[in-house]
Amino acid sequence: MKVLIIEDDALHRSYLNEAVRSALPECDAVTESENGRLGEVEARKLRAEFVVMDLQMNERNGIEAARTIWRERPDTKILFWSNYSDEAYVRGVSRIVPEGATYGYVLKSTSEERLKLALRSVFLESQCVIDREVRGIQQKGMGSGHGLSDAEYEILVDVALGLTDKTIASRKKLSLRTVQNRLQQLYEKLEVYQEDGDDESRYNLRTRAVAVALMRRVLNASAVERAERDLQDDAGY
């Protein structure tokens, strides 16, 4: 059994190395990479089946690295170990997990024992392990009437990219009316409104929606950067 650790903090890499060796006596080799880009290379070279990785890293973040690893080997088991439970990260991970894949998402604040349990559960027992706080974000952000639906979230990201309603409709193959309706739903859920009775609105609603989403951590820079790369790669745009 070989495990690949992808983490940009040297102390955290050392901690993970010890945790892996302690939790998994079956492991006979641990390889370390200091960022997502190098991690992709190592995963490809090793044909890695078991990966522990951070989410926020220089060079290439964990979501991008995991997407590449899963695209090349969908059966790879990945345990995300992160400081962040922001909705943007939770959505980012949820959107790239292949159907039927085994993965975990635990926070760095979790105890060493719970981390070891997660390693064994994901890698040996093929059980998905999601931190309680992260699970709460999933339910609040994606499973309730007050959270953004996936369709509304996609509209939010397109607005953050600066796309017009017409361009969004064209890219998503939607009617202009549908895009505008989703925008209105987005504004309501983010509590962004025109002020009644004002001849000149205090806010540009699109810009305000992006600002509120960033402050609430529904959106982050990594999500926008990923969307920008997808936009540039979109041959139909």
Side-chain angles (χ1 to χ4, degrees):
M1 181 182 189
K2 297 176 174 58
V3 175
L4 172 61
I5 293 171
I6 307 174
E7 164 65 66
D8 61 351
D9 185 289
L11 290 177
H12 286 177
R13 282 200 306 275
S14 177
Y15 176 80
L16 280 177
N17 195 315
E18 293 179 7
V20 166
R21 293 183 183 278
S22 175
L24 303 167
E26 303 86 348
C27 179
D28 51 21
V30 178
T31 303
E32 299 179 4
S33 291
E34 63 187 30
N35 60 56
R37 192 172 301 282
L38 293 175
E40 290 177 12
V41 174
E42 285 297 323
R44 190 175 299 119
K45 182 172 67 176
L46 298 171
R47 298 182 63 82
E49 297 181 66
F50 309 101
V51 179
V52 188
M53 70 163 68
D54 192 5
L55 283 175
Q56 183 61 48
M57 295 181 285
N58 295 324
E59 295 291 326
R60 194 164 178 82
N61 66 47
I63 291 176
E64 291 296 330
R67 180 161 63 173
T68 298
I69 291 170
W70 269 325
R71 185 171 60 239
E72 297 178 1
R73 291 182 61 86
D75 58 343
T76 301
K77 296 176 181 178
I78 299 178
L79 176 62
F80 297 99
W81 188 60
S82 175
N83 279 319
Y84 301 98
S85 59
D86 300 3
E87 185 175 337
Y89 283 108
V90 175
R91 280 185 183 271
V93 170
S94 297
R95 290 165 69 88
I96 64 169
V97 178
E99 185 176 355
T102 300
Y103 80 103
Y105 190 141
V106 296
L107 298 178
K108 291 185 176 181
S109 57
T110 196
S111 68
E112 183 177 352
E113 288 307 310
R114 291 185 68 84
L115 172 60
K116 291 178 181 179
L117 179 61
L119 286 165
R120 293 194 64 82
S121 297
V122 173
F123 292 166
L124 297 184
E125 300 172 13
S126 298
Q127 296 180 1
C128 290
V129 176
I130 310 298
D131 186 276
R132 182 180 301 176
E133 184 176 341
V134 174
R135 181 73 71 187
I137 295 294
Q138 288 179 330
Q139 294 171 346
K140 178 182 177 181
M142 290 167 269
S144 72
H146 298 291
L148 301 185
S149 67
D150 286 343
E152 291 159 357
Y153 183 78
E154 289 177 2
I155 294 290
L156 171 64
V157 173
D158 282 345
V159 168
L161 292 174
L163 303 183
T164 64
D165 292 0
K166 185 176 180 180
T167 301
I168 294 172
S170 176
R171 293 188 72 224
K172 303 296 185 186
K173 295 181 173 54
L174 300 171
S175 69
L176 187 59
R177 175 65 62 85
T178 298
V179 171
Q180 292 170 342
N181 286 341
R182 288 183 183 175
L183 271 173
Q184 289 304 314
Q185 293 165 353
L186 175 68
Y187 295 154
E188 289 176 10
K189 289 182 178 180
L190 293 177
E191 299 177 310
V192 174
Y193 305 104
Q194 295 278 14
E195 295 184 10
D196 294 336
D198 281 358
D199 293 332
E200 184 176 349
S201 177
R202 184 178 181 184
Y203 300 119
N204 175 297
L205 293 185
R206 298 169 80 90
T207 305
R208 183 63 179 169
V210 172
V212 170
L214 288 169
M215 288 186 288
R216 293 186 182 179
R217 298 182 178 180
V218 174
L219 191 65
N220 62 17
S222 294
V224 177
E225 289 169 2
R226 288 195 304 275
E228 175 65 22
R229 283 191 289 270
D230 290 342
L231 177 64
Q232 298 304 322
D233 292 339
D234 188 351
Y237 173 61

